[in-house]
Amino acid sequence: MNTLQHTVEDFKLFEAIADIAFIAGQKGFFSGDSRTDIAEFITWAKEFEDMHEETNWDEVDYQEAIDAFTGNKLRIDLQ
């Protein structure tokens, strides 16, 4: 039985980490060290969440925002 308790903020961060990792994988990103990549994705997700703390996701498309953010971090034009 899982007894860990998570906040809404935790789940938002987890979603951002998963989305960033997914986008990076789609783009074929791999530095050669998966542990370093994962640590970087976590850092990026925290940065994304901090940047969008006040964002109203009913007015801003989340997928477009995370795609653009990740593309910038990967230095890949996602368009």
Side-chain angles (χ1 to χ4, degrees), residues 1-11 14:
M1 183 165 136
N2 186 353
T3 58
L4 293 176
Q5 299 296 315
H6 297 288
T7 65
V8 170
E9 289 77 22
D10 291 338
F11 285 110
F14 300 156

Side-chain angles (χ1 to χ4, degrees), residues 13 16-18 20-21 24 29-48 69 73-74:
L13 179 63
I17 294 166
I20 289 168
F29 175 81
F30 179 58
S31 72
D33 182 341
S34 64
R35 297 293 97 192
T36 298
D37 293 346
I38 290 168
E40 194 70 21
F41 298 157
I42 292 167
T43 299
W44 293 352
K46 289 177 182 176
E47 181 182 341
F48 179 83
F69 176 85
K73 290 296 188 180
L74 295 173

Side-chain angles (χ1 to χ4, degrees), residues 13-26:
L13 179 63
F14 300 156
E15 180 179 21
I17 294 166
D19 288 335
I20 289 168
F22 181 81
I23 294 163
Q26 280 186 315

